[in-house]
Amino acid sequence: MKRRTFLKFGGALVAQSVIASSLLDSVFLSTAHGQTVSIRDLKNSLPADQAMILVPQDAQFASYQQAFNKRTLKTPIVRVLCSTPQAVAISIQWAQANKVPLAVRSGGHSFEGLSQGTGLIIDTRPMSQFQISSDKQTFIAGAGALLGNVYTELAKDGRAVPAGSCPTVGITGHTLGGGYGLLARPLGLACDSLLKVEMVNAKGEIIQCSADENKDLFWALRGGGAGSFGIVTKLQFKTHEVSHVYTYGMSWKVSPEVAAQLMKTWQQWAPESPREITSLMKVSRGKDGLINVRALGQTVGTENILRSELARLSAIAQPESLNIKDLDFMSSVRHFGGSFDQEYIFMKGKSDYIKQVMSDEGIAVLLKKIPSGIDVIFDSYGGAIRDVADDATAFAHRTGTVSSLQYYTQWFKEADGKAKLETMKTFHDALRPYMSGAAYFNYCDLDIKDYARAYWGNNLQRLIDIKVQHDPNNFFAHAQSIPLKKGS
Ligand SMILES: Cc1cc2nc3c(=O)[nH]c(=O)nc-3n(C[C@H](O)[C@H](O)[C@H](O)COP(=O)(O)OP(=O)(O)OC[C@H]3O[C@@H](n4cnc5c(N)ncnc54)[C@H](O)[C@@H]3O)c2cc1C
């Protein structure tokens, strides 16, 4: 079998083979929960070439602390960068024996820092390997792999996997929450291409989950799996042939009345358009009372059909610009995703789902109240997302879903955070009456009170049953993990 491997991040780590701190032997860590623990056992049981242990006193600690959202950073008492599932298992057992709370970090892009913690962080970044099968139909990625690296490797064989647009997002957190991207309407969500998952469970066992083994967990991991059932160490996906696409972008600066017509027409059109086309619509407040509307997306079909479909939007108002580009797949990844360099900012996101086209009143409220500095991004559903039944995987937002809405704001000075958060919450609260009540876990939001019902809808009870069976002590937990019972 021909294999390719990249160890961009992991290679550097393994070469160092570090058990980092000279202080480590004698260090005792006071946890936020009041107990004192020694990490001597952890150090003694972890093979030096399989893990790097970092405590805050270590010189290298700070360089692994960064994550996309600077607003939600937490300082752990110890971070273990694991390069094998065995190292993950040992770390889990140590955390259990010492009652140290655990968080798991892969790509570090959680909107709410659900991969952050004050106890032990198991960090999968060193497991970033990639292998494509000899027939190119499947690939395996380590849990620490990033979307951009996976796209780059697959594109060498004219293949792709449907997943998100940001190259620095981790494939693991993304897929476990669903995984929407610009191939979603022809090819489905990232979790729909998942074939097999290797995971370390609460007993510290390395298990496989697929349509044949641990079927219940495989169901749960596809949409409900982030940080709730175990630590994923490897994922196998099917690949799809995608060599080139036509991307498009159209923009308008229009009055609220015209913006409302564009928004309504987009919602009627985008989820029902030919499934080759995936469309996003971005709405923001412009200058002089105008609204900025941008429709963008891509098709794996023909330029002619794309042009005739887009005529639905230009019939409402002539766009300031309409750009259609014929791009190879990697150029389209760079076109939408921008830089492959890690970025660290302060941000807040929220989400909603609409199951029917928004009412005129709902659109009017959105356009009246949208503050400057907040983008509302509609992601079109339908197509292959809708081919899968709502209860076939844990991802529940398929049948009849028109679109998700992502609300996004970012800032660069910490001091601006309070005002930004208040503005976002006030705006979102005003819109909730016009929405379905559902929300997307990958755009997680700690303000949602009944988050489990919002994220997983009618699949919640089955997820709870699986949680009770596989993690009855709720060892894998974060602020929005699958609870052991409803309402907890
Ligand atoms: C800039 C940006 C762009 C984005 N674009 C998109 C997009 O186009 N489409 C989309 O659908 N989403 C998008 N997202 C959301 C993204 O999919 C989620 O934030 C996702 O959870 C990130 O995964 P991660 O591995 O990078 O994050 P992490 O912060 O490492 O983890 C996220 C979650 O996964 C869990 N987790 C992490 N590793 C493991 C593991 N090994 N085993 C079990 N659980 C684990 C954590 O507990 C946490 O709950 C975007 C986010 C950002 C910040």
Side-chain angles (χ1 to χ4, degrees):
M1 184 166 89
K2 184 176 166 238
R3 288 177 158 189
R4 279 201 307 261
T5 308
F6 67 76
L7 289 167
K8 195 176 168 197
F9 189 96
L13 172 64
V14 173
Q16 291 169 38
S17 294
V18 184
I19 295 289
S21 174
S22 56
L23 293 170
L24 212 56
D25 275 340
S26 56
V27 133
F28 283 82
L29 303 162
S30 253
T31 75
H33 303 265
Q35 84 266 34
T36 300
V37 294
S38 160
I39 53 172
R40 188 190 305 254
D41 294 346
L42 184 62
K43 179 194 167 186
N44 288 342
S45 39
L46 276 169
D49 60 351
Q50 293 187 30
M52 174 158 71
I53 303 177
L54 291 176
V55 296
Q57 295 88 338
D58 288 320
Q60 291 183 80
F61 182 84
S63 57
Y64 291 95
Q65 266 294 92
Q66 298 272 37
F68 180 77
N69 194 356
K70 286 162 69 171
R71 179 177 62 84
T72 58
L73 289 181
K74 290 181 184 155
T75 305
I77 56 168
V78 54
R79 177 185 300 273
V80 182
L81 289 127
C82 297
S83 45
T84 64
Q86 289 75 16
V88 171
I90 291 166
S91 304
I92 286 176
Q93 283 157 350
W94 177 84
Q96 286 180 332
N98 290 283
K99 299 194 170 26
V100 175
L102 175 87
V104 52
R105 194 245 203 232
S106 288
H109 275 56
S110 172
F111 277 14
E112 292 286 20
L114 300 181
S115 50
Q116 300 282 319
T118 53
L120 165 67
I121 293 191
I122 293 184
D123 195 321
T124 71
R125 278 179 281 180
M127 291 184 276
S128 60
Q129 73 275 17
F130 172 93
Q131 293 165 5
I132 191 160
S133 62
S134 52
D135 63 5
K136 317 294 184 204
Q137 299 299 308
T138 65
F139 75 94
I140 291 172
L146 305 182
L147 293 182
N149 294 348
V150 169
Y151 290 142
T152 304
E153 292 300 312
L154 287 172
K156 291 175 185 169
D157 290 308
R159 313 294 292 179
V161 67
S165 51
C166 176
T168 53
V169 164
I171 196 163
T172 303
H174 180 72
T175 304
L176 298 181
Y180 178 93
L182 285 143
L183 292 170
R185 296 191 72 255
L187 300 175
L189 302 171
C191 70
D192 298 335
S193 286
L194 198 56
L195 297 173
K196 196 172 187 179
V197 179
E198 179 185 86
M199 187 179 90
V200 186
N201 67 15
K203 294 180 188 152
E205 298 162 339
I206 301 166
I207 60 168
Q208 308 298 322
C209 308
S210 69
D212 304 316
E213 294 170 89
N214 293 303
K215 293 178 199 172
D216 55 347
L217 282 170
F218 186 56
W219 178 88
L221 290 172
R222 287 174 291 162
S228 289
F229 297 100
I231 297 194
V232 168
T233 48
K234 205 189 276 178
L235 308 102
Q236 184 185 31
F237 293 85
K238 66 180 167 193
T239 69
H240 305 263
E241 187 180 350
V242 183
S243 52
H244 84 106
V245 296
Y246 292 98
T247 63
Y248 81 89
M250 305 166 84
S251 359
W252 297 262
K253 287 187 174 58
V254 284
S255 67
E257 293 71 28
V258 177
Q261 287 175 50
L262 282 168
M263 287 170 66
K264 191 156 195 169
T265 304
W266 184 93
Q267 290 173 45
Q268 288 161 341
W269 162 73
E272 309 304 331
S273 64
R275 65 170 56 203
E276 289 80 7
I277 303 172
T278 303
S279 293
L280 275 54
M281 177 177 58
K282 191 163 152 184
V283 180
S284 60
R285 180 160 299 288
K287 289 186 182 140
D288 305 324
L290 297 180
I291 301 289
N292 300 330
V293 180
R294 184 163 163 73
L296 63 156
Q298 71 183 24
T299 181
V300 294
T302 67
E303 182 179 357
N304 279 349
I305 292 180
L306 178 65
R307 279 192 189 277
S308 72
E309 289 292 322
L310 296 180
R312 290 273 301 266
L313 299 176
S314 34
I316 304 293
Q318 202 53 36
E320 273 192 357
S321 61
L322 165 58
N323 288 313
I324 294 183
K325 292 183 182 165
D326 180 357
L327 296 179
D328 64 74
F329 181 67
M330 274 317 289
S331 299
S332 78
V333 168
R334 281 187 284 271
H335 173 76
F336 289 113
S339 170
F340 278 45
D341 294 337
Q342 291 286 351
E343 195 188 3
Y344 309 113
I345 52 163
F346 297 94
M347 59 84 58
K348 174 70 187 173
K350 285 178 175 289
S351 73
D352 272 307
Y353 274 105
I354 46 174
K355 307 267 172 163
Q356 51 196 1
V357 172
M358 285 174 74
S359 64
D360 292 344
E361 187 186 338
I363 292 176
V365 170
L366 190 156
L367 292 172
K368 185 166 171 222
K369 305 220 163 182
I370 187 169
S372 61
I374 292 182
D375 290 330
V376 182
I377 304 155
F378 291 72
D379 294 342
S380 58
Y381 274 52
I385 305 173
R386 217 180 270 168
D387 289 346
V388 180
D390 285 345
D391 62 357
T393 67
F395 188 89
H397 317 290
R398 298 176 186 271
T399 317
T401 298
V402 168
S403 161
S404 67
L405 281 78
Q406 181 192 166
Y407 307 82
Y408 185 92
T409 187
Q410 65 180 52
W411 59 98
F412 297 95
K413 281 190 286 175
E414 190 169 11
D416 295 340
K418 191 166 180 285
K420 286 274 186 185
L421 293 177
E422 275 171 22
T423 306
M424 174 68 105
K425 186 164 185 324
T426 306
F427 175 52
H428 187 244
D429 285 351
L431 288 176
R432 275 308 255 184
Y434 305 99
M435 304 293 161
S436 68
Y440 179 26
F441 176 81
N442 274 0
Y443 304 152
C444 58
D445 170 16
L446 292 187
D447 294 338
I448 305 179
K449 297 272 178 303
D450 191 3
Y451 72 87
R453 168 68 51 198
Y455 293 147
W456 297 296
N458 292 336
N459 288 335
L460 177 58
Q461 187 55 55
R462 187 167 167 197
L463 280 164
I464 289 174
D465 294 345
I466 296 169
K467 174 80 177 172
V468 169
Q469 191 188 338
H470 292 275
D471 185 21
N473 297 322
N474 203 17
F475 178 63
F476 298 110
H478 54 62
Q480 294 196 325
S481 50
I482 307 290
L484 287 170
K485 54 181 196 282
K486 277 188 182 159
S488 55

